[in-house]
Amino acid sequence: MKLNNRGWGTKEMILLSGGLFLALIVAIYFIVKLFGSFDSAVLNRQYADLEIKIEEAARNYIVNNNINVNGEYRISLDTLKNNNYITDFKDNNGSNCSGYVKVTKVDGINQYAGYISCFNYQTRNY
């Protein structure tokens, strides 16, 4: 009987197993990296929501008090709190945040930019 030597051997099986193991390690690395970016996206979303919250409070403050903005106008978080436009201003960790809103008039329209500073986050150009 003549044997066919074109089948799988130990050497081929070890090489194939090593290649699959290497591909598995690379896949695990990218999955961990992907899910790590989800965590930072959630954190950034929380702070973006705080910025929107302070901007909306400032918009209500400007409208209700009939403030005419010429150039640039700055409203602090303390002013908004003292006038009951915003109550609790904390991040999801329960840390108090500070902040202000810069209102600028561009082509006759007020533009609102909220800036906040929390324990682990600070808006750029705060």
Side-chain angles (χ1 to χ4, degrees), residues 54-63 65 67 69 72-81 83 85-86 98-104 110 112-115:
I54 196 170
E55 288 171 6
E56 289 174 357
R59 185 175 289 112
N60 292 334
Y61 177 79
I62 293 286
V63 169
N65 293 303
I67 297 174
V69 177
E72 183 177 299
Y73 189 76
R74 196 174 281 217
I75 305 168
S76 69
L77 177 63
D78 292 332
T79 302
L80 296 172
K81 279 184 176 181
N83 291 298
Y85 285 95
I86 201 165
S98 61
Y100 66 91
V101 177
K102 184 169 69 170
V103 184
T104 54
N110 290 338
Y112 298 86
Y115 296 90

Side-chain angles (χ1 to χ4, degrees), residues 5 11 18-19 36 47 57 59 61 68 70 76 95 100:
N5 289 333
K11 184 170 85 172
Y47 295 118
R59 185 175 289 112
Y61 177 79
N68 188 15
N70 292 324
S76 69
S95 301
Y100 66 91

Side-chain angles (χ1 to χ4, degrees), residues 15 18 28 31 36-37 40 57 62 69 76 83 98-99 104-105 109 113 120:
L15 286 174
I28 289 172
I31 289 170
S37 68
S40 66
I62 293 286
V69 177
S76 69
N83 291 298
S98 61
T104 54
K105 188 169 250 180
I109 299 172
N120 291 327

Side-chain angles (χ1 to χ4, degrees), residues 84-95:
N84 297 321
Y85 285 95
I86 201 165
T87 53
D88 195 27
F89 202 69
K90 296 181 179 183
D91 62 6
N92 288 349
N93 298 330
S95 301

